[in-house]
Amino acid sequence: MALRRLGLMPSTFLVMALSFVVSFLSLHGQLRPWPATLPQGLLSLGIADELHYGPNSTARFSVDYGRLTEAAPAAVLYPSSPDDIAALVRFSYASPRPFVIAARGHGHSTRGQAFAPGGVVVDMASLGRGRRTRRHDRINVQLDDVHRIRYVDVGGEQLWIDVLRETLEHGVAPCSWTDYLYLTVGGTLSNAGISGQAFRHGPQISNVHELDVVTGKGDMVTCSRDVNSDLFYGVLGGLGQLGIITRARIAVEPAPERVRWVRFIYTDFGSFINDQELLISISSEGFDYVEGQLLMENGAAKNSSFFSERDSEKIKALAAELGAIYFLEGAIYYELATASLVDQKLKLLLKKLSFVPGFAFTKDVSYLRFLDRVHQDEIKLRPMGLWDVPHPWLNLFVPKSRMRDFETGIFRGILIENDTPMATVLISPMNKSKWDEKMSATIPDEDIFYAIGILRSATKGDWKHLDDQNDEILGFCNHAGIEFKQYLPHYTTQADWKKHFGLKWDRFVQLKRRYDPKALLSPGQQIFTTSL
């Protein structure tokens, strides 16, 4: 009767009520079928509101920067704190139906390393934008010059560009970087983190004092060189296999104000690498940053924010004449008060180098502008449709003693003879002494080795033949007996992984058995596919 007084028939009220329920449940995602690969008990956890599932929620986490493969997780966790991550891992570890878990930072992997097929991806960025979190809470600079204590505590989800900006406000900065700063701290420390400063300061993993880690059992562990040291050394360069980094304590040093940024062109490969090795052998008299690149005719100096249009044409003409040339890139850090000394230092260095006369180029930029240089190229490439495309990249560590063979067989062989499409080919010298052998990262067994990055962009239709070319490169190295190591490695068999880790393999397996015995973490690496 009451319904009729309101002008509503009972059936009409029922339809309205059901519509309300459907809308309410749809907002909360409960009408979508619960993923069959995940236990229903997950919904009873305190993190249920932060767990999203269904195609609309998981699509973004099914691809990465490489765009070479896809694999959908069953759900995505948006944690508000490291406790949420630990709760998720503990639940999976204790479940009769354990599921895999992968931490994802900026999604810059190229081979699905941060995928969790049928499992749960942890969106690490949520830690920095949670309801109870501000960025300053997750980047904390500590300076005590009396006790010589200088470091920054950083959330594993933080981007290096934000770490740089925050530390610069205190007049300090980490001393080892990556070329591209829009990567997460936890992501690069799980690999190594390299750039042109590594010859002097080592990779980023060599500059860490302490970590907070969520292990594959869901334990929250603080570790350092002195406390839980096996986990500390294992996680650094450990490809996410032993734990999820939620905090890192990183060494900092006084930050320079300015950078004298230089590039020198070479036509002779021997002179090019000899000069690189000279520069990494001298300390205060040399550069603070040293890298190099191969410039092929079809891509010489294109899309670079460094060279002027006139200089680009000059370099392009030289590359067209010779097929390929090289440039050595260096940087001198300085303060405004010492600018005149930089000119003298650079003049003395130029006398020691064997670049092509008339092909020395310089720029003077802020420290921030220099470190964020790749982002400037990104800004240029995105509108051209050359950023969000497939990236069949290959990164190798090659021993110094085989670089001439690599140049003949790969640079002037496979790449140039096959008229490889435009690519960035990095050639950066490293000192083995700056790497800590206790850490999980693997490098060649020579005092000097080179980081070679063959970084190519493709279209959806042509990336496979470039990937086949990567296989050809690896095949050449294997046939020639070049004892290389892959950086940002990609293997699909445990036999290949065992070869990759070499003498570190048995220890790595022991650590996996101790800290992630059910092989829950980072399944996209395809190292351990079953419980240990």
Side-chain angles (χ1 to χ4, degrees):
M1 293 293 291
L3 293 176
R4 287 192 175 92
R5 292 193 191 102
L6 294 173
L8 298 174
M9 296 300 291
S11 59
T12 305
F13 176 79
L14 181 59
V15 170
M16 291 176 62
L18 286 174
S19 297
F20 172 79
V21 171
V22 168
S23 299
F24 179 83
L25 291 178
S26 295
L27 285 172
H28 287 72
Q30 302 306 311
L31 284 185
R32 293 192 298 270
W34 178 248
T37 55
L38 299 180
Q40 285 277 356
L42 260 178
L43 290 173
S44 63
L45 283 183
I47 59 173
D49 289 343
E50 297 163 340
L51 198 67
H52 296 211
Y53 58 97
N56 292 337
S57 299
T58 61
R60 181 166 67 90
F61 299 89
S62 303
V63 295
D64 58 14
Y65 180 73
R67 296 179 183 271
L68 307 178
T69 184
E70 295 184 12
V76 178
L77 177 71
Y78 294 86
S80 295
S81 71
D83 293 332
D84 295 341
I85 301 173
L88 176 73
V89 178
R90 280 196 300 270
F91 180 89
S92 180
Y93 184 74
S95 173
R97 294 172 53 207
F99 50 86
V100 294
I101 298 167
R104 178 183 170 116
H106 201 52
H108 210 74
S109 59
T110 59
R111 301 280 177 174
Q113 288 95 330
F115 288 171
V120 178
V121 166
V122 178
D123 179 34
M124 295 298 289
S126 293
L127 289 174
R129 58 174 182 255
R131 297 184 301 273
R132 305 184 298 273
T133 307
R134 299 172 301 166
R135 178 166 67 86
H136 294 286
D137 296 331
R138 301 287 293 165
I139 305 178
N140 183 18
V141 179
Q142 294 292 325
L143 303 177
D144 182 348
D145 290 333
V146 174
H147 298 94
R148 296 185 179 180
I149 298 172
R150 290 179 176 176
Y151 62 80
V152 57
D153 277 330
V154 185
E157 79 290 344
Q158 293 294 320
L159 299 179
W160 283 103
I161 182 63
D162 292 326
V163 176
L164 174 60
R165 287 171 176 154
E166 184 70 21
T167 53
L168 284 179
E169 291 184 10
H170 298 266
V172 297
C175 50
S176 188
W177 295 93
T178 53
D179 286 338
Y180 183 60
L181 300 184
Y182 289 76
L183 306 173
T184 60
V185 169
T188 66
L189 296 184
S190 294
N191 288 281
I194 58 173
S195 186
Q197 306 89 359
F199 79 91
R200 175 171 296 167
H201 300 288
Q204 290 179 317
I205 57 175
S206 294
N207 294 273
V208 178
H209 294 315
E210 186 178 274
L211 298 170
D212 283 346
V213 175
V214 176
T215 72
K217 295 180 179 180
D219 296 328
M220 301 177 70
V221 181
T222 297
C223 54
S224 66
R225 287 176 171 81
D226 301 315
V227 179
N228 298 310
S229 59
D230 61 339
L231 182 62
F232 176 80
Y233 289 118
V235 165
L236 293 170
L239 306 176
Q241 294 301 298
L242 308 178
I244 296 172
I245 297 171
T246 59
R247 179 188 65 89
R249 179 166 292 178
I250 299 164
V252 295
E253 62 178 11
E257 295 177 298
R258 305 289 298 177
V259 175
R260 185 65 52 83
W261 185 8
V262 298
R263 288 181 177 179
F264 310 122
I265 302 297
Y266 291 75
T267 57
D268 177 68
F269 183 74
S271 299
F272 166 67
I273 61 172
N274 286 342
D275 281 0
Q276 281 194 314
E277 289 163 18
L278 169 67
L279 290 170
I280 70 169
S281 70
I282 54 182
S283 53
S284 59
E285 306 87 37
F287 290 127
D288 297 291
Y289 163 102
V290 176
E291 283 194 356
Q293 284 191 34
L294 163 69
L295 293 179
M296 292 179 284
E297 177 184 357
N298 56 8
K302 286 184 179 179
N303 301 319
S304 171
S305 59
F306 181 91
F307 298 109
S308 68
E309 185 174 344
R310 180 181 177 183
D311 290 340
S312 293
E313 290 302 317
K314 181 180 177 182
I315 295 167
K316 183 179 178 181
L318 186 63
E321 177 185 346
L322 301 174
I325 56 179
Y326 305 88
F327 76 69
L328 188 158
E329 183 174 47
I332 300 173
Y333 302 160
Y334 70 96
E335 309 301 325
L336 288 173
T338 60
S340 60
L341 298 179
V342 173
D343 294 331
Q344 298 175 26
K345 182 176 181 179
L346 184 58
K347 187 176 181 179
L348 290 174
L349 281 172
L350 294 185
K351 293 179 179 180
K352 299 179 180 180
L353 303 180
S354 303
F355 56 90
V356 179
F359 283 82
F361 308 93
T362 66
K363 293 183 75 169
D364 204 88
V365 296
S366 70
Y367 185 56
L368 174 61
R369 168 65 180 85
F370 172 71
L371 291 181
D372 197 29
R373 61 196 177 279
V374 177
H375 182 55
Q376 303 304 313
D377 292 335
E378 176 186 359
I379 293 172
K380 185 176 180 180
L381 292 172
R382 278 192 181 277
M384 300 167 62
L386 297 176
W387 191 262
D388 293 320
V389 296
H391 295 94
W393 287 5
L394 180 63
N395 292 275
L396 304 174
F397 291 149
V398 178
K400 167 189 169 179
S401 64
R402 304 306 303 271
M403 282 299 293
R404 302 288 183 127
D405 298 321
F406 198 91
E407 189 252 354
T408 302
I410 306 301
F411 297 153
R412 296 195 174 275
I414 294 173
L415 294 182
I416 294 176
E417 289 178 4
N418 290 321
D419 194 26
T420 297
M422 184 179 68
T424 297
V425 181
L426 303 177
I427 309 168
S428 306
M430 303 277 167
N431 284 318
K432 180 185 176 184
S433 62
K434 300 299 181 178
W435 293 64
D436 194 324
E437 186 63 23
K438 296 178 183 177
M439 295 175 182
S440 293
T442 59
I443 58 176
D445 189 19
E446 286 193 11
D447 291 342
I448 295 176
F449 62 94
Y450 282 80
I452 309 294
I454 303 174
L455 314 181
R456 296 183 280 196
S457 300
T459 65
K460 288 185 177 180
D462 75 351
W463 70 264
K464 289 187 177 179
H465 88 270
L466 294 178
D467 214 27
D468 290 340
Q469 197 174 89
N470 289 337
D471 290 337
E472 186 180 356
I473 291 170
L474 295 174
F476 171 86
C477 291
N478 286 324
H479 185 263
I482 298 175
E483 296 292 332
F484 69 92
K485 294 292 184 182
Q486 280 195 37
Y487 178 59
L488 311 177
H490 170 67
Y491 296 107
T492 57
T493 70
Q494 197 168 90
D496 284 335
W497 280 112
K498 185 175 182 179
K499 180 181 178 182
H500 170 78
F501 280 102
L503 296 176
K504 295 185 179 183
W505 174 252
D506 289 342
R507 178 61 174 162
F508 196 64
V509 172
Q510 291 175 6
L511 292 172
K512 183 71 171 180
R513 186 175 290 118
R514 182 177 305 163
Y515 291 107
D516 184 23
K518 294 189 177 180
L520 303 181
L521 302 179
S522 295
Q525 298 282 5
Q526 301 183 66
I527 304 176
F528 301 98
T529 56
T530 59
S531 299
L532 278 73

